[in-house]
């Protein structure tokens, strides 16, 4: 089942994406926590082209697992590591980095090199902590495509080189996610590709993960409590490369679909007080999160 999050005439919600003879439809659904699944809710189906797709999750946090593919491109079996809390480097990104399918991503500017990282994203469906690897699937609401964008600071020629490079994942828009999530999917062997302006830059798959998806969920859940809607980015295959303003980026994952975004410039807005405390957006994030009992 493919589940999207959408906005229609100012109201947001989740919908099941269906294909019929007239194209793609969005059927309104909600997440049933006790039943741990998606069920229909009141509302009429709409053509997909008549709604605006949002990121398919509303996380309290986005956890990124770093360096989860062998740097030399060899098979993951040669580099498998145990699923213990110290086996993975976990980096957090704020929810303000989220953008959806079709959105324009702002380049952070000339001081930074922006790089793409195509990844499988896990969306958590129930509150959980210390999940055993063999039960990881029970806490997952679905899987989706992600581009874990990263900025690397450009150093002036005279700058000292004795320090590690400065890198950042926290800029607004640095986590494109979508276009929807797949709920009935085995994440063990999924092909992942990234194309920039039609050129293939990354071509790998989850079979190459050093720590496989179920163990990633287990490790992250031992680092921190996970809440409904939280997102885990599982790692990117080799081939991450630079992006420039105007580039069109496509992340495709078998069984899910293709996430498309364009790189643009960040508008130079003067500072002004924000009465909402949320960048001008309504504080309604928790309303539509998949929710349910803890695991």
């Amino acid at each position: 089942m493919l589940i999207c999050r959408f906005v229609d005439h100012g109201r947001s919600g989740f919908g099941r994406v269906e294909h019929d003879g007239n194209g793609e439809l969005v059927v309104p659904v909600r997440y049933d926590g006790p039943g741990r699944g998606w069920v229909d809710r009141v509302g009429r189906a709409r053509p997909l082209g008549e709604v605006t797709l949002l990121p398919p999750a509303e996380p309290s946090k986005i956890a990124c697992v770093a360096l989860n593919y062998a740097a030399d491109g060899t098979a993951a079996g040669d580099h498998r590591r145990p699923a213990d809390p110290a086996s993975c480097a976990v980096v957090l990104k704020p929810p303000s980095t989220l953008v959806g399918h079709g959105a324009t991503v702002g380049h952070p500017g000339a001081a930074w090199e922006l790089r793409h990282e195509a990844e499988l994203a896990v969306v958590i469906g129930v509150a959980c902590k210390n999940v055993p690897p063999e039960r990881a699937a029970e806490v997952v609401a679905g899987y989706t495509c992600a581009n874990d964008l990263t900025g690397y600071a450009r150093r002036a020629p005279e700058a000292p080189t004795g320090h590690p490079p400065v890198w950042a994942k926290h800029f607004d828009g640095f986590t494109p996610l979508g276009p929807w999530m797949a709920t009935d999917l085995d994440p063990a062997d999924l092909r992942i590709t990234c194309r920039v302006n039609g050129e293939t830059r990354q071509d790998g798959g989850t079979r190459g993960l050093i720590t496989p998806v179920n163990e990633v969920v287990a490790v992250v859940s031992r680092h921190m409590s996970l809440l409904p809607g939280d997102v885990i980015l599982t790692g990117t295959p080799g081939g991450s490369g630079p992006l420039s303003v105007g580039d069109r980026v496509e992340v495709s994952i078998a069984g899910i679909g293709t996430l498309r975004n364009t790189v643009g410039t960040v508008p130079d807005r003067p500072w002004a007080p924000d009465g909402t405390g949320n960048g001008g957006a309504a504080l309604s994030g928790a309303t539509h999160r998949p929710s349910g009992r803890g695991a």
Side-chain angles (χ1 to χ4, degrees):
M1 185 185 301
L2 298 177
I3 300 292
C4 70
R5 181 169 159 258
F6 67 94
V7 62
D8 181 24
H9 293 91
R11 300 185 65 180
S12 62
F14 288 91
R16 183 177 70 251
V17 180
E18 290 190 349
H19 302 265
D20 68 5
N22 298 318
E24 295 174 314
L25 295 175
V26 176
V27 180
V29 297
R30 63 178 177 83
Y31 191 75
D32 175 27
R36 299 193 179 185
W38 297 91
V39 296
D40 289 354
R41 63 178 174 86
V42 176
R44 67 185 184 91
R46 297 292 305 276
L48 181 62
E50 294 183 8
V51 303
T52 300
L53 291 177
L54 301 172
E58 295 180 279
S60 69
K61 54 189 168 293
I62 302 162
C64 314
V65 175
L67 304 175
N68 201 18
Y69 283 81
D72 59 5
T74 57
D78 299 333
H79 301 271
R80 287 287 187 197
R81 56 190 170 205
D84 64 70
S87 66
C88 297
V90 180
V91 179
L92 289 180
K93 301 177 82 169
S96 53
T97 62
L98 278 181
V99 292
H101 174 74
T104 298
V105 175
H107 195 292
W112 298 88
E113 179 181 270
L114 178 65
R115 299 178 73 88
H116 58 80
E117 297 182 12
E119 306 195 16
L120 176 73
V122 179
V123 180
I124 298 299
V126 296
C128 56
K129 176 69 175 171
N130 294 328
V131 180
E134 63 273 13
R135 299 192 62 185
E138 298 177 29
V139 305
V140 174
Y143 304 91
T144 189
C145 306
N147 191 352
D148 182 15
L149 294 169
T150 305
Y152 292 86
R154 301 181 190 274
R155 291 185 178 274
E158 65 276 8
T161 59
H163 300 285
V166 175
W167 55 272
K169 290 178 175 284
H170 56 254
F171 286 98
D172 290 352
F174 263 33
T175 313
L177 203 69
W180 37 63
M181 60 180 169
T183 63
D184 304 314
L185 194 65
D186 181 353
D189 187 14
L190 301 175
R191 185 183 181 190
I192 302 173
T193 62
C194 179
R195 294 181 297 277
V196 178
N197 301 325
E199 174 194 358
T200 299
R201 294 272 192 90
Q202 294 179 272
D203 190 352
T206 55
R207 179 181 286 184
L209 288 169
I210 297 173
T211 302
V213 174
N214 65 320
E215 295 184 5
V216 165
V217 173
V219 168
V220 175
S221 75
R222 294 181 71 180
H223 279 237
M224 65 196 78
S225 296
L226 296 173
L227 301 179
D230 282 352
V231 171
I232 301 174
L233 306 185
T234 56
T236 192
S240 171
L243 295 170
S244 302
V245 172
D247 283 347
R248 180 180 172 85
V249 188
E250 297 176 302
V251 174
S252 299
I253 300 180
I256 301 174
T258 299
L259 168 69
R260 297 182 179 90
N261 297 94
T262 302
V263 181
T265 57
V266 176
D268 187 14
R269 296 173 181 163
W271 178 86
D274 175 15
T276 68
N278 193 37
L283 295 174
S284 60
T287 304
H288 301 294
R289 282 185 190 155
S291 60
R293 65 176 184 267

